[in-house]
Amino acid sequence: MRTITFYSYKGGVGRSLALANIAKRLAEFNKKVCIIDFDLEAPGIPAKFSSELKSTAIKKGLVDYIYQYHHEGSLPKTISDFSVEFSLSNTKVPISLIAAGDTESGDYWKKLSSINWYELLYEDNNSLSFFLNLKEKIKKEINPDFLLIDSRTGISEMSGISISLLADEVVIIAANNKENLDGAKKIIKSLSKTEILLLDAPPKTTLVLSRIPFTNSPKDRAKEQVFISRIKREFEELYNDDIIIIHSDRELEEKESLKLETDKEDSVRSIANDY
Amino acid sequence: MIKNERQFQITSKKLNEFKKAIQIVSEKQDVDLDLKEIQLAAMQAQIEVLEAEVQEYLSLKNKELNSITADNILDLPQLLIKARISKGWSQHDLAQRLKIKEQQIQRYEQYNYETAAWLRIVRIANELEIEFKPIKAKIDETLFDIPQGLSSEKISSAQAKLSSRRTLFAINN
């Protein structure tokens, strides 16, 4: 099981969409995928699969799982009770989703706000085992090839759990502006420091630029290369791998949808290639 | 810690005496300079301690704080005294509310509540509107099924690191 966390410092950069697209592609390759929606204050994964997943299907999720341990003092026996399965068309292997919870109920939001993350993480002597056990349960009960985690934005205990505690690999998605790039830099720097390491080697990081306008004109392509090199130089001391680009086009911005159908026009095919 | 008005008066008086003494010593001409310096430093240190105590008492009495917190159950006695002062109640006032003798409260406070019965402490805490967080009991530490290949030693040292660092990030320039 490889755990990949999708992180962005700011919202609105297409993080959940990128995760959903990757999940879809992996499922098409017959890989078993499990998704955790850890963006607990603004969960968005179920909406990305709204045609495959009934909104009433989600009764319990991660918040209920954590709440039961944190407030009721009992560790849930299984993770399956907190997850749902759905299948995409043309795929054989269903995707498992550990949603944030039933966000249509007031109970969800009450439970969420009563979780004291500081206490849970630093004052509970079993906090690390609690989160490692969550991963172990997923491995034993769902046994996915890939565990994809949609992280909370910003710098908080919630995002810290997703990127510093659970991830083998962190995909950092940033739009091309100063606040996004500065945030990405902070996180890459933090993840490279050994003092935050609790158990293993630091997670592999991948920097992704998103919402870059798709273009076929050679002139605009050249422009794109120029600013990518500039960003590369900016990140030089921290990050030496390739910077991945996810393009966007008008159609995508107008009607956000999973972009991996390869039977349509040119730009769609090219955006699909980004993945 | 200054616990009541009487101690406050005594401490304030002592503080003034020290301040005068420091004046006198520093004006002395016919003494060994090293000795003088040591004397001054000692008095200065004493003044700082007393001033801090006076300051603490005044900030409680003048209601400068919205709440007072104790991180450890062993600090509860001091918290009870501080809460009484902050409410502007004398030992007599508190005793009256509880329908007990003033001397009883005096004795409790003098010995930091060591001699008070458990139910009496609870009653006083309620009267002073002390809030207790949920108090947890640890039941079993070995409930968790953790990944193979991780020794419990490794996990407990990582847990200790987490509890002492109190952050999952390393943010600095």
Side-chain angles (χ1 to χ4, degrees), chain A residues 127-128 133 140 164 190 197, chain B residues 145 159 161 166-168 170:
Chain A
S127 56
L128 185 60
N133 173 265
K140 287 205 170 135
S164 306
S190 171
L197 281 187
Chain B
D145 186 12
Q159 181 74 51
K161 197 171 159 189
R166 299 195 165 231
T167 174
L168 290 166

Side-chain angles (χ1 to χ4, degrees), chain A residues 226-239:
Chain A
V226 170
F227 81 71
I228 291 167
S229 322
R230 178 176 56 74
I231 293 169
K232 255 199 146 157
R233 271 198 306 281
E234 230 182 278
F235 277 78
E236 208 166 39
E237 280 173 28
L238 290 166
Y239 182 81

